Amino acid sequence: MTNQQLHQRRSQVIAQGMGAMYPLYVEKADNAHVWDIEGNKYIDFAAGIAVTNTGHANKRISEAVKAQIDNFSHTCAMVTPYASFVELAEKLTELAPGDSAKKAIFLTTGAEAVENAVKVARAHTGRSGVIAFKGGFHGRTNMTMGLTGKVAPYKAGFGPFPNEIFHAPYPNAFHGISVEQSLQALEDLFACDIEPSRVAAIIFEPVQGEGGFYQAPKEFAQGLRQVCDKHGIILIADEIQTGFARTGKMFATEYLDIEPDMMTMAKGIAGGYPISAVVGKSDVMDSALPGGLGGTYAGSPLGCVAGLEVLKIIEEQDLCAKAQGIGEVVNARMTRLQQSVAAIGEIRTYGAMMAIEFTDPQSGLPLQDMTKAVISKAQENGLILLSCGVKANVIRLLPPLTIEPEVLEEGLDKLESIIRQETKK
Ligand SMILES: Cc1ncc(COP(=O)(O)O)c(C=O)c1O
């Protein structure tokens, strides 16, 4: 069977709304390599969208999950729980930044974590409003779609969205939005749209993911903290893409010197097993009634044991330092390339959360077609790449943090030659 044959079959039975980046069907994967069903080998700079930070098919994680499956695969944590459920919560509440006592809940997907964080904030404050940021991404469920600040493809055709959600601009030096403007926009919302005493939560990503890899400056995060403290609003940091060593710290919030009231976690938490979490201040987290939070598969034993193993690997292999190292290598290579490729508007590296934004050197306009061409050329060249950005003109690089240095260099060689080829046209 070929990739094209399967792709053809896919198009008959899978609705197009579940987009497909590549006509590439995976046979196996190992650390930073993926093989398709035709035997072609790829270097993976996507890691399942920042999920397999600890590498594909990590033996330690697989062994932990296999041992768990042999004991039991599901009992429902809300009915008859298990030690790993408590142990993972102990570890995450300890690792979450800030001195306050913390509690956790577990769910299955990132969107569910965000939904539940909003539920808890509403239960705690008795308020309804939520403020999110333009360009932000929080998921595809109804509430999280409403919070997401990017229309196509996430919101187009899916309205109406939950009410009482407002969007403010996220600071973005490259596109001329200052921290002051972003913070002023919150005051404008309070003046024009909703009084602060009706706002339950402000949710932000420490580095916007789908929105294009823009980092929240420290003064912005601290400004948000002040606004929330002043008005009794819950501050939620969405660390679903940034968490688990990706940016060179366990959580990107650690760069910001603030303690959020709640954090949402998923993706890298368990190296590919579906589990997510909300971790927050105990008094906030305890606001919902018993039974109000959770789900049948929430905190699955497979996810919990995988999560515990991921945390051990991050610590023992110092994946935070590895992420920093990857960011430095990529930054140096891409900065050199930028000197001869004028279409590279900006290179952003936050540890191993790395992006290249393509803009027209004369007009500054986004180069979507070129970005698309680079992504599609990647498959032919044995590389897996992802795009992002509200204008779809950003390539994001998210290799496993365990990538071997020579594989990283080889992947960058491929990327560099594709960019050179595509920018010459
Ligand atoms: C910052 C952020 N929040 C929420 C989500 C939604 O997570 P999921 O796709 O697991 O529902 C994502 C997924 O990309 C994300 O990057």
Side-chain angles (χ1 to χ4, degrees):
M1 199 185 321
T2 65
N3 286 314
Q4 277 311 333
Q5 284 166 342
L6 255 186
H7 209 53
Q8 175 59 26
R9 281 167 59 187
R10 174 194 164 115
S11 68
Q12 301 301 309
V13 288
I14 301 285
Q16 64 164 5
M18 266 198 107
M21 203 90 195
Y22 290 114
L24 180 172
Y25 289 78
V26 178
E27 175 82 39
K28 62 174 185 170
D30 181 24
N31 200 18
H33 282 116
V34 166
W35 286 261
D36 70 16
I37 52 169
E38 296 174 21
N40 301 308
K41 185 177 174 184
Y42 304 86
I43 293 174
D44 187 6
F45 276 3
I49 322 188
V51 169
T52 53
N53 292 358
T54 38
H56 286 295
N58 185 301
K59 295 266 176 312
R60 287 179 54 178
I61 301 172
S62 310
E63 290 307 321
V65 172
K66 280 182 207 159
Q68 178 60 50
I69 291 173
D70 285 341
N71 286 340
F72 62 96
S73 60
H74 176 78
T75 59
C76 187
M78 297 177 303
V79 181
T80 46
Y82 22 88
S84 58
F85 176 72
V86 178
E87 285 162 10
L88 187 60
E90 285 170 348
K91 294 261 187 273
L92 293 178
T93 50
E94 202 183 297
L95 286 167
D99 295 333
S100 311
K102 307 245 174 15
K103 286 195 174 184
I105 55 168
F106 291 112
L107 304 130
T108 312
T109 65
E112 258 189 293
V114 174
E115 289 264 357
N116 279 274
V118 171
K119 280 166 63 174
V120 170
R122 284 180 166 168
H124 184 74
T125 56
R127 306 173 182 181
S128 51
V130 188
I131 298 175
F133 291 90
K134 294 177 204 266
F137 180 79
H138 300 289
R140 291 178 172 85
T141 58
N142 203 40
M143 166 57 76
T144 58
M145 188 172 55
L147 293 171
T148 289
K150 179 174 173 184
V151 170
Y154 305 122
K155 301 169 87 147
F158 296 139
F161 306 109
N163 56 16
E164 302 281 59
I165 293 174
F166 304 90
H167 287 95
Y170 191 89
N172 185 327
F174 187 59
H175 292 288
I177 305 170
S178 68
V179 167
E180 294 70 34
Q181 284 168 322
S182 293
L183 293 175
Q184 181 55 46
L186 291 179
E187 298 304 326
D188 295 345
L189 284 181
F190 296 152
C192 306
D193 291 297
I194 183 167
E195 63 273 36
S197 59
R198 279 207 307 115
V199 177
I202 297 180
I203 182 164
F204 80 109
E205 293 161 88
V207 180
Q208 280 196 332
E210 303 296 312
F213 284 25
Y214 303 103
Q215 188 181 34
K218 209 192 246 190
E219 319 82 75
F220 173 65
Q222 292 178 348
L224 290 182
R225 185 65 275 176
Q226 277 167 14
V227 169
C228 288
D229 288 343
K230 182 171 169 197
H231 298 294
I233 298 169
I234 296 294
L235 183 60
I236 305 170
D238 183 344
E239 288 258 13
I240 286 167
Q241 194 157 157
T242 47
F244 300 95
R246 175 53 60 187
T247 67
K249 299 232 187 237
M250 185 59 94
F251 297 107
T253 307
E254 291 169 48
Y255 288 106
L256 303 175
D257 287 341
I258 57 154
E259 181 175 2
D261 300 302
M262 278 190 272
M263 288 168 66
T264 52
M265 308 173 186
K267 289 190 183 283
I269 188 173
Y273 293 87
I275 183 169
S276 63
V278 182
V279 176
K281 294 180 179 167
S282 299
D283 61 322
V284 175
M285 293 298 292
D286 269 335
S287 304
L289 293 178
L293 308 172
T296 303
Y297 296 111
S300 140
L302 307 183
C304 287
V305 294
L308 285 168
E309 206 54 42
V310 162
L311 293 180
K312 279 192 223 151
I313 295 168
I314 291 177
E315 195 187 332
E316 286 167 24
Q317 299 182 8
D318 202 355
L319 293 191
C320 289
K322 292 231 164 73
Q324 290 290 7
I326 292 169
E328 282 160 23
V329 168
V330 171
N331 197 297
R333 290 273 310 248
M334 292 299 119
T335 305
R336 263 202 313 277
L337 180 65
Q338 190 180 27
Q339 284 158 13
S340 50
V341 177
I344 298 181
E346 193 174 55
I347 296 148
R348 298 184 282 277
T349 56
Y350 314 111
M353 189 164 180
M354 307 166 292
I356 303 159
E357 179 157 350
F358 293 108
T359 47
D360 184 289
Q362 266 81 49
S363 64
L365 290 171
L367 294 171
Q368 290 101 337
D369 291 344
M370 215 200 80
T371 310
K372 219 170 167 179
V374 170
I375 300 268
S376 64
K377 270 279 161 347
Q379 181 179 2
E380 282 171 34
N381 286 271
L383 186 65
I384 301 174
L385 287 179
L386 291 171
S387 64
C388 63
V390 176
K391 307 266 169 61
N393 65 323
V394 180
I395 286 189
R396 55 176 151 171
L397 309 178
L398 294 163
L401 307 180
T402 47
I403 190 169
E404 300 84 351
E406 60 282 8
V407 178
L408 177 65
E409 293 289 352
E410 193 189 334
L412 291 172
D413 289 344
K414 290 174 189 285
L415 178 64
E416 202 173 312
S417 89
I418 299 166
I419 292 177
R420 283 192 194 283
Q421 270 168 37
E422 292 307 314
T423 49
K424 254 194 225 129
K425 289 179 182 166

